[in-house]
Amino acid sequence: MAIANYLYLSAILFTIGAVGVVVRRNAIVVFMCIELMLNAANLAFVTFARVNSNLDGQVVAFFTMVVAACEVVVGLAIIVTIYRSRRSVSVDDASLLKQ
Amino acid sequence: MTTSSNLLWLIALPLFSSAILILSGKRANSWGHVLATIVSASSFTIGVVEFFAMHGRSDANRAVTQKIFTWISVGSLNVDASLMLDQLSICFVLLITGVGTLIHVYSISYMSHDHDRRRFFAYLNFFIASMLLLVLGDSYLNLYVGWEGVGLASYLLIGFWNQKPAYATAAKKAFIANRIGDVGLSIAIMIAFATFGDVSFAGIKEHADEASSTQLTAIGLMLLLAACGKSAQFPLQSWLGDAMAGPTPVSALIHAATMVTAGVYLITRSNFIFDEAPIAQLMVLVVGGITLLFGAVIGMAKDDIKKALAASTMSQIGYMILATGLGPIGYAFAIMHLLTHGFFKASMFLGAGSVMHGMKDEVNMRKFGGIGKFMPFTALTFGLGYLAIIGVPPFSGFYSKDKIIETAFNAGGIKGIALGMATLLGAVITAFYMTRVVILTFFGNERWGHKDEPAESPALMLIPIGLLSIGSIAAGFIFSKGDGLVNWLQPVVNPLKEHHAEEFLPPIIVSLMTLVAVMIGLTVAILKYRGDQVAQAPEKVSVLVSAARRDLFQDEFNEAVFMRPGQSLIKILLNLDYILIDGLVRSVAATSLSAGVRLRTLQTGYVRSYALMMVIGALALVTTIWVVTA
């Protein structure tokens, strides 16, 4: 299978994630879309590691996973806190930080 | 040149004493005046010792110097803080400390009811120190320090009773008028440095003939401006009358005997410049001539005894300034008149203070009258001063003023006749207004309008007046005996450098003319004021009299020509600042503010819209990179 296909898949996944972040209101879904974008990037890293025949990309993928795990912890905590105070996980409701 | 270590003490003693009195506060109230007087007397003693030491040396070796420290040493400018005592300075040192000490003694009694007497003596000591520095400095820069110091002392003492707004204003007026002169002096110093690369008297004297006449004229005119400010000469004369707001001893010491004569000192000290700058010298003559008549005319109309004496001071200093403009021989006569004037004017001012003391601080002469029989000693000493100032022989004013008139006539040509007639006319008017003062105060009917009889002042006030009166009687005779003072000052001012071969009028004729002039003024005044007077000043008076009462419109002139245009200028500059400078700054602020207001609408608070913007930004970035690299 051509290497390019992996990159196409990565681009499609990233686009789906990005669109999801922009259009969806549910914080959980937005969060999942962010995870999707991260994993799309991971896929691209691993692909390039294969193309260049070294392990740099693989290593970065591991780093990304660690960062994603931390992010999940913090992000979910925020979402839970927001839900507790407003009984809603809609990101549009949490729009007080303006003007 | 000989060096001496005593000169510093002359200045340091009163300066330290002044600092002690200021710093120790109320604790010094009981002994402050004693310390100040002792210190002043010590300075006088040092002055006398130095005088006799100087007298013992030969002409060429009389000047002594003392270097205190290197003050400025920058590139080619080297100024030492050093003092120089020569034949000219010693005259001033003795006058300042001698008259100063007597006035200290007088003030102990005169100011005894003032709760701020200690502060008064601190200022007096500070004045003595500054004035001594002024006459002892060996360069224009050292002189300038003393010059500013006496200006400050004058300001502090005129406004001594500054709880009265009018007095505070008078102090400010004197200070501002003096500042104008000070600017002249500082410009003169700058031109002198640019021309000679030196500011010391000795250095400039040595190279005076190398400078161009334009430079010398510029320096001379600026020095004249300085002298006009300090000595209350036309056109900066208006502050002197108001300066009488200060306590009377101050008027006697600062505004009659010493500080106001600093201008005469400055011109005499700068003789090497004025002798080479005929235009500046002519201006000196013009200023002196105008002021001597100006002051005399004002003096004729004043009812306030102190202001009448102030106008007379202005006029007498006009005589001195005029004499300094007459070239080498004139300097010595200017100094002679300055010294005799120091005696008789100080004694008259103190006499006026004594009268005020007896009359509960009344200064209006129309409410005096017949005080002579209640205060005989004051009347006697005032009378001696009076005879001296109008120039009756053998009192001191006769010798000094007669010499000035004679020298003025001998100036030659139309200039000589004009100056001679001006000084002669001044003598007539002086005799008139001084006779008026004496008659209104000491003779005639009693007009003070209350039952209390004025009592003679205490001995502590009368003794200094008496001592000064001895000076008014004898000083002129002593100074002119065998041309004593002229020969004494000769090494400094070179009065014998050029002899006037032809005399316009023989001295005896000039003396007779002067005497006739004095008699005319005297007689007119006696005829006019011999009868009983009323306590009110006449309302219906001629234009001339009302003009003289208002100081010949000097304040109105200053207001119209300087103050109002100055205020308009400030208003224009203020508006310019408000519109242009502030406007620029404000428009910068307004621009960023409105930009902020517009940009703020981008901040919606919706996370999704921020995310969209990030996506768009990332896409734009990628596209750009792609386009650029492709």
Side-chain angles (χ1 to χ4, degrees):
Chain A
M1 200 158 52
I3 290 290
N5 289 341
Y6 292 102
L7 292 180
Y8 287 139
L9 178 62
S10 165
I12 290 165
L13 286 175
F14 189 90
T15 311
I16 292 170
V19 170
V21 167
V22 171
V23 300
R24 296 304 297 265
R25 291 194 178 81
N26 191 322
I28 302 290
V29 178
V30 169
F31 209 58
M32 283 160 61
C33 291
I34 292 172
E35 291 301 312
L36 197 58
M37 286 158 74
L38 282 170
N39 281 313
N42 268 353
L43 181 57
F45 275 125
V46 174
T47 310
F48 286 126
R50 173 93 180 183
V51 170
N52 295 329
S53 308
N54 63 20
L55 289 176
D56 291 358
Q58 309 261 16
V59 172
V60 176
F62 276 113
F63 276 111
T64 313
M65 280 180 207
V66 173
V67 172
C70 301
E71 184 233 330
V72 166
V73 172
V74 177
L76 274 176
I78 293 172
I79 290 168
V80 169
T81 316
I82 288 176
Y83 180 75
R84 279 189 182 160
S85 61
R86 343 190 105 231
R87 292 281 144 197
S88 155
V89 288
S90 166
V91 288
D92 282 2
D93 284 352
S95 65
L96 295 174
L97 201 66
K98 61 182 173 188
Q99 296 210 24
Chain B
M1 258 191 207
T2 342
T3 56
S4 163
S5 56
N6 286 340
L7 303 186
L8 181 59
W9 287 111
L10 267 175
I11 299 172
L13 283 176
L15 198 61
F16 279 136
S17 153
S18 164
I20 289 169
L21 293 190
I22 291 276
L23 294 176
S24 54
K26 283 184 182 146
R27 267 163 301 207
N29 272 354
S30 53
W31 46 267
H33 51 279
V34 180
L35 173 70
T37 311
I38 290 173
V39 158
S40 180
S42 313
S43 279
F44 179 61
T45 314
I46 297 174
V48 171
V49 169
E50 286 292 325
F51 171 72
F52 281 111
M54 181 185 285
H55 199 262
R57 289 191 292 268
S58 67
D59 252 6
N61 298 319
R62 278 188 173 150
V64 292
T65 55
Q66 181 183 7
K67 181 182 166 183
I68 303 171
F69 58 88
T70 303
W71 185 14
I72 301 171
S73 180
V74 187
S76 60
L77 176 64
N78 285 297
V79 182
D80 290 336
S82 49
L83 307 175
M84 176 186 67
L85 185 73
D86 63 3
Q87 290 91 328
L88 177 60
S89 340
I90 192 75
C91 295
F92 276 86
V93 167
L94 291 177
L95 177 76
I96 295 158
T97 54
V99 175
T101 305
L102 292 179
I103 286 172
H104 272 76
V105 173
Y106 178 92
S107 307
I108 292 177
S109 174
Y110 187 84
M111 300 294 286
S112 59
H113 301 298
D114 198 295
H115 65 275
D116 254 350
R117 181 167 65 162
R118 172 190 51 80
R119 190 161 58 90
F120 179 79
F121 275 92
Y123 293 163
L124 272 192
N125 267 189
F126 176 69
F127 169 75
I128 300 270
S130 304
M131 191 72 201
L132 287 173
L133 179 58
L134 196 163
V135 297
L136 287 176
D138 80 329
S139 71
Y140 281 105
L141 218 51
N142 289 330
L143 177 145
Y144 189 72
V145 177
W147 189 269
E148 293 294 308
V150 293
L152 172 63
S154 162
Y155 168 77
L156 291 171
L157 285 165
I158 294 170
F160 186 71
W161 290 317
N162 55 12
Q163 60 270 29
K164 292 191 185 164
Y167 290 6
T169 311
K172 225 185 289 177
K173 184 176 177 183
F175 198 74
I176 291 169
N178 268 292
R179 288 306 311 169
I180 299 170
D182 296 349
V183 169
L185 182 54
S186 60
I187 293 176
I189 296 173
M190 291 175 212
I191 304 175
F193 177 67
T195 311
F196 303 105
D198 195 354
V199 292
S200 72
F201 299 134
I204 295 177
K205 186 175 187 172
E206 202 174 319
H207 301 289
D209 46 355
E210 293 165 18
S212 75
S213 69
T214 321
Q215 290 163 321
L216 287 170
T217 307
I219 297 174
L221 289 176
M222 284 299 128
L223 289 175
L224 176 62
L225 179 65
C228 284
K230 198 59 91 193
S231 291
Q233 297 296 294
F234 184 83
L236 297 175
Q237 79 291 359
S238 66
W239 63 272
L240 189 60
D242 291 305
M244 295 302 119
T248 309
V250 172
S251 309
L253 177 61
I254 301 187
H255 304 122
T258 54
M259 187 197 84
V260 284
T261 58
V264 182
Y265 171 78
L266 183 68
I267 296 179
T268 308
R269 180 56 86 194
S270 315
N271 58 73
F272 40 84
I273 288 171
F274 283 94
D275 286 346
E276 308 286 333
I279 297 174
Q281 210 162 30
L282 183 67
M283 285 310 294
V284 172
L285 287 173
V286 171
V287 164
I290 290 177
T291 316
L292 92 85
L293 292 175
F294 197 97
V297 170
I298 293 175
M300 284 196 290
K302 285 288 170 191
D303 287 337
D304 180 329
I305 186 168
K306 284 181 73 182
K307 290 202 172 170
L309 288 176
S312 151
T313 303
M314 193 192 286
S315 166
Q316 297 302 315
I317 295 172
Y319 270 105
M320 299 170 207
I321 296 280
L322 186 139
T324 57
L326 287 170
I329 191 75
Y331 296 120
F333 295 141
I335 297 301
M336 195 202 290
H337 195 53
L338 191 156
L339 296 173
T340 57
H341 176 259
F343 286 117
F344 60 68
K345 188 53 70 64
S347 108
M348 277 196 289
F349 257 114
L350 295 186
S354 172
V355 169
M356 285 161 60
H357 198 74
M359 294 295 293
K360 302 190 172 53
D361 289 334
E362 178 62 61
V363 289
N364 189 348
M365 290 189 292
R366 298 208 180 257
K367 293 184 178 165
F368 289 168
I371 292 175
K373 57 178 173 285
F374 298 101
M375 307 177 85
F377 189 80
T378 306
L380 174 72
T381 49
F382 199 95
L384 293 173
Y386 156 74
L387 292 173
I389 191 175
I390 65 172
V392 172
F395 294 95
S396 61
F398 166 75
Y399 292 97
S400 49
K401 198 192 281 183
D402 193 52
K403 287 286 185 202
I404 293 177
I405 297 175
E406 186 188 320
T407 317
F409 271 117
N410 288 344
I414 297 175
K415 188 173 83 169
I417 294 172
L419 292 172
M421 293 317 285
T423 49
L424 213 53
L425 182 60
V428 176
I429 305 177
T430 307
F432 175 81
Y433 69 73
M434 284 314 300
T435 311
R436 173 176 176 270
V437 168
V438 168
I439 292 178
L440 284 180
T441 307
F442 295 106
F443 296 101
N445 52 331
E446 297 156 12
R447 300 183 296 273
W448 53 79
H450 51 75
K451 287 271 188 288
D452 306 338
E453 286 180 354
E456 186 62 282
S457 304
L460 216 47
M461 282 167 70
L462 296 181
I463 292 167
I465 307 182
L467 290 173
L468 286 170
S469 290
I470 296 174
S472 338
I473 300 169
F477 176 71
I478 295 169
F479 291 149
S480 59
K481 186 169 152 249
D483 281 341
L485 191 71
V486 175
N487 290 333
W488 174 256
L489 290 174
Q490 192 265 331
V492 182
V493 298
N494 295 343
L496 306 179
K497 198 161 65 178
E498 48 187 278
H499 277 290
H500 284 286
E502 82 285 10
E503 284 176 337
F504 179 74
L505 290 169
I508 185 73
I509 301 284
V510 176
S511 297
L512 282 176
M513 280 166 66
T514 314
L515 278 179
V516 169
V518 169
M519 285 307 149
I520 292 171
L522 191 87
T523 319
V524 171
I526 290 176
L527 289 177
K528 190 161 162 42
Y529 293 101
R530 65 183 163 177
D532 283 357
Q533 302 291 317
V534 285
Q536 294 301 317
E539 301 273 326
K540 283 182 192 163
V541 288
S542 67
V543 182
L544 266 174
V545 176
S546 67
R549 274 187 191 163
R550 302 178 64 184
D551 299 324
L552 296 180
F553 304 112
Q554 57 186 5
D555 291 334
E556 284 78 359
F557 176 82
N558 284 346
E559 187 176 323
V561 177
F562 298 110
M563 194 189 105
R564 298 282 166 216
Q567 282 179 335
S568 313
L569 182 69
I570 285 168
K571 231 173 259 173
I572 291 168
L573 288 178
L574 200 66
N575 281 334
L576 205 68
D577 179 62
Y578 187 77
I579 294 167
L580 200 73
I581 315 276
D582 285 9
L584 216 66
V585 174
R586 271 199 304 267
S587 69
V588 168
T591 311
S592 51
L593 189 70
S594 68
V597 167
R598 294 214 175 85
L599 282 174
R600 197 167 62 172
T601 53
L602 290 176
Q603 185 128 356
T604 55
Y606 292 115
V607 177
R608 295 188 302 131
S609 72
Y610 301 159
L612 183 63
M613 268 178 233
M614 275 172 69
V615 170
I616 293 169
L619 279 178
L621 197 66
V622 170
T623 317
T624 314
I625 291 169
W626 183 62
V627 168
V628 169
T629 49

Short mmCIF file of all heavy atoms in Angstrom, two decimals, chain B residues 241-264:
data_model
loop_
_atom_site.label_atom_id
_atom_site.label_comp_id
_atom_site.label_asym_id
_atom_site.label_seq_id
_atom_site.Cartn_x
_atom_site.Cartn_y
_atom_site.Cartn_z
N GLY B 241 11.16 101.66 46.73
CA GLY B 241 10.13 102.29 47.58
C GLY B 241 9.34 101.26 48.35
O GLY B 241 9.11 101.39 49.55
N ASP B 242 8.96 100.17 47.68
CA ASP B 242 8.19 99.12 48.34
C ASP B 242 9.03 98.35 49.34
O ASP B 242 8.50 97.76 50.29
CB ASP B 242 7.61 98.17 47.30
CG ASP B 242 6.54 98.84 46.47
OD1 ASP B 242 5.60 99.37 47.06
OD2 ASP B 242 6.67 98.86 45.23
N ALA B 243 10.35 98.34 49.10
CA ALA B 243 11.23 97.60 50.01
C ALA B 243 11.20 98.18 51.42
O ALA B 243 11.67 97.55 52.36
CB ALA B 243 12.65 97.60 49.48
N MET B 244 10.64 99.36 51.58
CA MET B 244 10.54 99.96 52.91
C MET B 244 9.56 99.21 53.79
O MET B 244 9.38 99.53 54.96
CB MET B 244 10.11 101.43 52.80
CG MET B 244 11.13 102.29 52.10
SD MET B 244 12.73 102.24 52.92
CE MET B 244 13.76 101.60 51.64
N ALA B 245 8.91 98.17 53.22
CA ALA B 245 8.04 97.32 54.03
C ALA B 245 8.83 96.61 55.12
O ALA B 245 8.29 96.22 56.14
CB ALA B 245 7.35 96.29 53.13
N GLY B 246 10.12 96.40 54.90
CA GLY B 246 10.95 95.71 55.89
C GLY B 246 11.11 96.53 57.14
O GLY B 246 10.84 97.73 57.16
N PRO B 247 11.58 95.90 58.22
CA PRO B 247 11.86 96.65 59.45
C PRO B 247 12.86 97.78 59.18
O PRO B 247 13.73 97.64 58.30
CB PRO B 247 12.47 95.59 60.37
CG PRO B 247 11.99 94.29 59.83
CD PRO B 247 11.83 94.46 58.37
N THR B 248 12.75 98.87 59.91
CA THR B 248 13.57 100.05 59.63
C THR B 248 15.08 99.80 59.68
O THR B 248 15.80 100.33 58.84
CB THR B 248 13.18 101.19 60.59
OG1 THR B 248 11.78 101.33 60.51
CG2 THR B 248 13.84 102.48 60.20
N PRO B 249 15.59 98.98 60.63
CA PRO B 249 17.04 98.73 60.58
C PRO B 249 17.48 98.12 59.25
O PRO B 249 18.58 98.40 58.76
CB PRO B 249 17.26 97.74 61.72
CG PRO B 249 16.11 97.93 62.62
CD PRO B 249 14.96 98.34 61.78
N VAL B 250 16.60 97.30 58.67
CA VAL B 250 16.91 96.71 57.36
C VAL B 250 16.99 97.80 56.30
O VAL B 250 17.91 97.83 55.47
CB VAL B 250 15.83 95.69 56.99
CG1 VAL B 250 16.02 95.21 55.57
CG2 VAL B 250 15.85 94.53 57.95
N SER B 251 16.03 98.72 56.34
CA SER B 251 16.05 99.82 55.38
C SER B 251 17.34 100.60 55.52
O SER B 251 17.93 101.05 54.54
CB SER B 251 14.86 100.75 55.60
OG SER B 251 13.68 100.01 55.66
N ALA B 252 17.79 100.78 56.76
CA ALA B 252 19.01 101.57 56.99
C ALA B 252 20.24 100.83 56.50
O ALA B 252 21.10 101.40 55.83
CB ALA B 252 19.14 101.88 58.48
N LEU B 253 20.32 99.54 56.82
CA LEU B 253 21.54 98.79 56.50
C LEU B 253 21.57 98.38 55.04
O LEU B 253 22.53 98.65 54.32
CB LEU B 253 21.64 97.54 57.40
CG LEU B 253 22.83 96.63 57.11
CD1 LEU B 253 24.12 97.38 57.32
CD2 LEU B 253 22.79 95.40 57.99
N ILE B 254 20.51 97.72 54.59
CA ILE B 254 20.54 97.10 53.27
C ILE B 254 20.11 98.08 52.20
O ILE B 254 20.74 98.21 51.17
CB ILE B 254 19.63 95.85 53.26
CG1 ILE B 254 20.12 94.87 54.30
CG2 ILE B 254 19.60 95.24 51.89
CD1 ILE B 254 19.43 93.55 54.28
N HIS B 255 19.02 98.82 52.47
CA HIS B 255 18.44 99.63 51.41
C HIS B 255 18.86 101.09 51.49
O HIS B 255 18.21 101.96 50.93
CB HIS B 255 16.93 99.46 51.41
CG HIS B 255 16.55 98.03 51.28
ND1 HIS B 255 15.78 97.36 52.21
CD2 HIS B 255 16.89 97.11 50.36
CE1 HIS B 255 15.65 96.11 51.84
NE2 HIS B 255 16.32 95.93 50.73
N ALA B 256 19.91 101.37 52.25
CA ALA B 256 20.46 102.73 52.23
C ALA B 256 21.98 102.68 52.22
O ALA B 256 22.62 103.26 51.35
CB ALA B 256 19.97 103.51 53.44
N ALA B 257 22.57 101.95 53.18
CA ALA B 257 24.01 102.07 53.34
C ALA B 257 24.80 101.08 52.50
O ALA B 257 25.81 101.43 51.91
CB ALA B 257 24.38 101.89 54.82
N THR B 258 24.37 99.83 52.43
CA THR B 258 25.27 98.84 51.84
C THR B 258 24.75 98.19 50.57
O THR B 258 25.27 98.44 49.48
CB THR B 258 25.63 97.75 52.87
OG1 THR B 258 24.43 97.21 53.38
CG2 THR B 258 26.44 98.33 53.99
N MET B 259 23.72 97.34 50.66
CA MET B 259 23.43 96.51 49.50
C MET B 259 23.12 97.30 48.24
O MET B 259 23.61 96.97 47.17
CB MET B 259 22.27 95.56 49.76
CG MET B 259 22.08 94.58 48.62
SD MET B 259 20.50 93.75 48.59
CE MET B 259 19.49 94.95 47.76
N VAL B 260 22.33 98.36 48.36
CA VAL B 260 21.98 99.10 47.16
C VAL B 260 23.18 99.81 46.55
O VAL B 260 23.10 100.27 45.42
CB VAL B 260 20.85 100.13 47.41
CG1 VAL B 260 19.52 99.46 47.52
CG2 VAL B 260 21.14 100.97 48.61
N THR B 261 24.27 99.88 47.28
CA THR B 261 25.46 100.49 46.68
C THR B 261 26.33 99.45 45.98
O THR B 261 27.37 99.80 45.43
CB THR B 261 26.29 101.20 47.75
OG1 THR B 261 26.64 100.25 48.74
CG2 THR B 261 25.51 102.33 48.38
N ALA B 262 25.87 98.18 45.99
CA ALA B 262 26.67 97.13 45.34
C ALA B 262 26.87 97.42 43.85
O ALA B 262 27.90 97.07 43.27
CB ALA B 262 26.00 95.77 45.53
N GLY B 263 25.87 98.08 43.23
CA GLY B 263 26.01 98.42 41.82
C GLY B 263 27.16 99.38 41.59
O GLY B 263 27.92 99.26 40.62
N VAL B 264 27.32 100.35 42.50
CA VAL B 264 28.43 101.30 42.41
C VAL B 264 29.75 100.54 42.55
O VAL B 264 30.71 100.79 41.81
CB VAL B 264 28.30 102.38 43.49
CG1 VAL B 264 29.42 103.39 43.37
CG2 VAL B 264 26.94 103.06 43.41
#
